[in-house]
């Protein structure tokens, strides 16, 4: 078997073989998603609670001035919609990482990582599969939001797709990087609380940054440095057919950095994912 693997590595792999691997991983993630219907429901409940309940209460408190990409005054619900879309992707990225921790504890991760295909490509396929699942959840949210009079231009539903893919890859790779250092499933929830909530609340998802700057200049700089802020702004501008070049550069750079970090971390020879016998992946 080792000689066959060596010969495969020497001659390389065809495009069809790479595509077969990608299809298999995406299909597996899709089946897992279909069998976990509560995951789909919970992914929608969180943003819908903010949209239907909190937005109604904050509408009269948080006035929104005319700021790009908006050309007129908007309701608070319209402003937070891109942030709630990014929230779905944030939670989905962490949920996909949770499944990796579970697979590693159960020993299923070994089946994936012993493949002769490059480990970086395998992790990228896993990341792409998780992003595809998040896209389904985001567009389901947009469909429900449409009945709540959140109606961006029709072209926005297409122009936002590249932004959603890039932001999904960034948030998924961040979750993958974090999961590489978690040894037990029980520790995951605690770690996520120190990642999800600070990233979400210290961003422009729920309020414009000029409001934050008025209240706390120091928090404003934290929000500006938060990659999640730029993911939200990238989605916000793309939803209206525009490009926020600064956010695009930040999200693209963070995606590359987080992905490289995850690939190195899942390398058992030097990464954080080095395990003893107890983890089943030693």
């Amino acid at each position: 078997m080792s000689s066959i693997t060596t010969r495969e590595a020497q001659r390389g792999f065809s495009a069809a073989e790479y595509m077969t691997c990608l299809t298999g991983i995406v299909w597996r993630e899709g089946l897992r998603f279909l069998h976990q219907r509560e995951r789909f429901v919970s992914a929608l409940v969180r943003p819908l609670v903010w949209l239907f309940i909190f937005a109604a209460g904050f509408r009269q408190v948080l006035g929104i001035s005319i700021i790009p990409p908006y050309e007129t005054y908007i309701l608070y619900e319209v402003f937070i919609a891109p942030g709630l879309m990014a929230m779905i992707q944030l939670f989905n990225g962490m949920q996909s990482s949770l499944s990796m921790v579970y697979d590693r504890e159960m020993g299923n991760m070994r089946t994936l990582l012993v493949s002769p295909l490059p480990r970086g490509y395998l992790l990228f396929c896993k990341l792409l599969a998780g992003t595809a699942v998040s896209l389904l959840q985001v567009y389901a949210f947009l469909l429900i939001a449409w009945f709540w009079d959140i109606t961006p231009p029709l072209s926005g539903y297409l122009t936002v797709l590249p932004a959603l893919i890039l932001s999904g890859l960034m948030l998924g790779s961040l979750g993958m990087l974090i999961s590489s250092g978690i040894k037990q499933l029980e520790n995951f929830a605690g770690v996520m609380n120190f990642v999800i909530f600070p990233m979400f609340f210290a961003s422009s998802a729920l309020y414009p940054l000029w409001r934050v700057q008025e209240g706390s200049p120091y928090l404003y700089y934290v929000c500006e440095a938060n990659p999640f802020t730029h993911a939200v702004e990238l989605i916000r501008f793309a939803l209206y057919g525009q490009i926020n070049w600064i956010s695009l550069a930040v999200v693209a750079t963070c995606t590359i950095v987080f992905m490289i970090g995850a690939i190195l971390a899942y390398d058992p020879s030097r990464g954080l994912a080095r395990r003893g016998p107890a983890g089943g992946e030693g």
Side-chain angles (χ1 to χ4, degrees), residues 218-238:
Y218 296 106
L219 181 58
Y220 168 79
Y221 292 120
V222 173
C223 294
E224 278 283 359
N226 183 359
F228 186 74
T229 292
H230 296 281
V232 172
E233 294 306 308
L234 183 64
I235 294 173
R236 189 188 310 280
F237 277 74

Side-chain angles (χ1 to χ4, degrees), residues 150-199:
I150 299 176
T151 55
L154 289 178
S155 60
Y157 292 100
L158 292 178
T159 57
V160 77
L161 181 59
L164 290 173
I165 293 174
L166 186 57
S167 59
L169 291 174
M170 182 194 77
L171 297 172
S173 58
L174 174 61
M176 188 179 294
L177 176 60
I178 295 173
S179 70
S180 65
I182 299 177
K183 297 182 178 180
Q184 294 181 340
L185 193 63
E186 293 78 7
N187 300 332
F188 192 85
V191 173
M192 289 303 97
N193 287 334
F194 288 99
V195 176
I196 291 178
F197 294 111
M199 286 190 71

